Amino acid sequence: MTLWGGRFSTKLNDQAWDLNSSLPVDQRMAIQDVDGSLAWAGALHKANILSDEEYTSISLGLDTAKAEFDSGEFLFVPSDEDIHTAVERRLTELIGVTAGKLHTGRSRNDQVATDFRLWMLQAIPHLLSAFSLLQTTLVEQAELAGETLMPGYTHLQRAQPILLSHWWLSHYHPLQRDRERFTDLIKRVSILPLGSGALAGTPVPVDRAALAESLGFAVASPNSLDSVSDRDFAAEFLFCATMTGIHLSKLSEQIVLYTSTEFGFFELSDAFSTGSSLMPQKKNPDVFELTRGKAGTLIGLLTGLLATLKGLPSTYDKDLQEDKAPVFMATDTLLAVLPVIAGALRTITTKPERMRNAIDSFMMATDLADYLVSKGIPFRETHVIAGKAVRVAVEQHVQLEELSLEAYQALSPAFEADVYQVFDPLKSIEKRNAIGGTSLQSVKNQIQQIKGD
Ligand code: ARG
């Protein structure tokens, strides 16, 4: 049974049928399709289009279909073009011709947009809990890190010492922004298209506000033409997912780097690393590399949908059928990646000595300049003097802390014996005590604020 056969003298070409059919993708919205239909049947009943008996029969039939989906017993047949057809076909088998009344005043255009939004409204909370797990892990690691120091990098060159806990939290905040983006998106998903008809609105006198409420939407869409073609929510969802993917990719890149023998800041647990079929010594960070790789795929899904939407004429066009697969794939990707990254980070071993040994006194060159600032010299001058000290030390193949007091005083008479205190990395860290800085207190405050949120 197709839903549109009457006007045609022959059936659709087999290959065209395959191209047109969306069941393999949209059967994932089966429950939402039934829920939308139950609500629509209710609206038709209220509008006196369905009698009491018809409404009861349709509702019971839909309940049965839903139970079949839940138990995995629902059987699709080759003529099911999409999930909407499948549900209506089954309803007809269950209750007979009355099923044909359900589609009164409704189109698959408002129906599919409704199903898709309903699906997304239930998917977002799943994603949010997956975020929580990883974020909790990051905060736990930050707390465990205590006073562990590590080198901070800019341009991947040693820059300034930081607290490891500060670094862990630097990966918490991007994820928090991602969460907020997903949460904020809910209000733009929670708009009901049902009752927009194919494009011009439904002739059935339905109370769309009540219909919206019955399905858990915040409001009914204000313009039927826009409503059947609006896929902003799908594009936004993909952006949120892609941004998350990019954050996870950046984190992964650092873990890949820091677990290398050259850095050796962390070691992955065996449960989250993989071996080589050839080289027995290898312990590979595949899960992080895959996460980094999947960020590329997510970017493709987002740009793909944006390209589909660009230049579509007003209202529904079949191009829009391309909207669901990328959203489903992005969701599956994040739901697969987030718990694995959480697990891998929860079980990672930190190597505080390796981190500490990677901090050299050149990383306190800024503190050296700040030292002279405390003696009243303008920073622009102290930056030059400290730079000269670096040059002398490099030329002499020594560390900054190994330069003699005479050598310092030759650069500026303001240097005194207490200059050597600036080469203590913990002192450097403790000075950075303003909100957001790397000092122990500042990071403690960050943790407290996060936990209070
Ligand atoms: N499978 C379609 C989709 O996903 C459902 C809407 C079909 N509408 C239509 N006018 N053919 O977009």
Side-chain angles (χ1 to χ4, degrees), residues 178-386:
D178 294 330
R179 279 182 66 101
E180 285 168 16
R181 259 187 286 274
F182 272 114
T183 307
D184 186 65
L185 171 60
I186 292 173
K187 65 172 178 276
R188 282 178 297 285
V189 186
S190 194
I191 301 169
L192 174 76
L194 199 58
S196 298
L199 73 161
T202 182
V204 177
V206 288
D207 177 351
R208 292 192 62 225
L211 184 61
E213 208 187 320
S214 72
L215 276 168
F217 285 92
V219 286
S221 60
N223 181 308
S224 63
L225 303 178
D226 174 44
S227 166
V228 293
S229 62
D230 171 15
R231 296 294 185 275
D232 296 8
F233 67 97
E236 257 191 278
F237 182 94
L238 286 173
F239 174 77
C240 297
T242 304
M243 201 65 239
T244 306
I246 287 170
H247 290 143
L248 296 174
S249 177
K250 287 181 67 173
L251 167 60
S252 297
E253 165 61 12
Q254 282 199 290
I255 298 292
V256 169
L257 209 59
Y258 288 173
T259 51
S260 67
T261 309
E262 282 68 18
F263 276 87
F265 291 174
F266 295 112
E267 187 181 340
L268 293 178
S269 72
D270 286 359
F272 290 96
S273 30
T274 41
S276 157
S277 59
L278 182 87
M279 300 164 282
Q281 86 284 10
K282 290 300 288 293
K283 189 166 176 185
N284 292 330
D286 285 27
V287 296
F288 291 97
E289 293 168 294
L290 282 166
T291 302
R292 194 174 57 188
K294 284 179 190 296
T297 306
L298 286 166
I299 293 170
L301 296 175
L302 168 64
T303 50
L305 181 66
L306 290 174
T308 298
L309 297 178
K310 176 192 167 298
L312 285 188
S314 181
T315 92
Y316 183 82
D317 303 278
K318 198 61 177 262
D319 316 46
L320 292 174
Q321 185 163 287
E322 294 295 308
D323 59 357
K324 286 167 287 298
V327 167
F328 294 162
M329 190 172 170
T331 307
D332 292 343
T333 300
L334 290 187
L335 289 178
V337 160
L338 284 163
V340 173
I341 295 299
L345 294 182
R346 200 171 42 244
T347 54
I348 208 166
T349 305
T350 302
K351 303 286 172 94
E353 268 123 53
R354 292 283 306 194
M355 294 182 184
R356 178 64 187 83
N357 291 341
I359 299 173
D360 60 39
S361 61
F362 288 108
M363 298 183 75
M364 269 66 78
T366 315
D367 301 276
L368 189 63
D370 290 340
Y371 167 87
L372 291 178
V373 167
S374 74
K375 307 272 177 189
I377 307 175
F379 180 75
R380 276 291 151 236
E381 284 175 42
T382 70
H383 185 282
V384 174
I385 297 166

